[in-house]
Amino acid sequence: MRRRFVLATSLVTALFLGTAGPVRAEDPEARALVQRVLDAIPKGPLVATLKLTVEDGPPRQVELSHKFVSGARASYLEVTAPPELQGIRFLFLQPPDGQNEQYIKVAASRSAVRVSEEIRKQPFLGSTFYVSDLVEPPIDHYTFAF
């Protein structure tokens, strides 16, 4: 079964693709846009600071480190603000052919925990993104439209 979503034109939204309502037919231009965005993801290591705004609370600041490890896309996120969320860490491993793995570690815990499918459906740090939006989607699982 193919999942469907409506493509927003913003680069960030396209990068962190989320699912939305169904569409009737695929638009080849929309699919090409998503492919160009995915192709533009840096192949070398990168470090970035992200700021997520939430409706009822202070913004969340996240430090992102990204690189390829043994052919797998690896992304490490650490929450640096606000203080009550500081120290939450996420690790996303995306092998080229295989199941994505996601892990979370909270400051109070001694070890990381693998994120289950149920947790991937939860909002990411109270934002409008979900944990599942933070990994590169298999492009063939979607139908694209503007």
Side-chain angles (χ1 to χ4, degrees), residues 32-129:
L33 174 62
V34 171
Q35 189 62 59
R36 284 194 312 268
V37 169
L38 294 175
D39 292 343
I41 297 172
K43 305 297 185 238
L46 69 89
V47 177
T49 300
L50 311 170
K51 188 174 186 180
L52 295 172
T53 56
V54 294
E55 193 171 305
D56 299 324
R60 280 70 164 118
Q61 186 165 314
V62 179
E63 298 292 325
L64 165 69
S65 299
H66 173 83
K67 67 180 182 177
F68 283 87
V69 177
S70 301
R73 183 183 305 279
S75 299
Y76 174 77
L77 290 86
E78 182 173 353
V79 180
T80 56
E84 62 269 15
L85 298 176
Q86 194 170 9
I88 296 175
R89 298 175 180 138
F90 294 88
L91 176 64
F92 302 98
L93 300 172
Q94 299 173 260
D97 298 320
Q99 183 70 22
N100 292 333
E101 296 179 38
Q102 301 170 3
Y103 298 88
I104 184 172
K105 183 182 180 308
V106 293
S109 175
R110 296 182 77 188
S111 59
V113 175
R114 188 168 183 170
V115 176
S116 71
E117 189 63 38
E118 196 59 38
I119 294 198
R120 292 179 194 184
K121 298 175 186 173
Q122 301 295 319
F124 179 69
L125 301 174
S127 72
T128 57
F129 289 109

Side-chain angles (χ1 to χ4, degrees), residues 7 27-35 144-146:
L7 175 65
D27 183 334
E29 290 181 35
R31 182 184 189 81
L33 174 62
V34 171
Q35 189 62 59
F144 299 89
F146 286 105

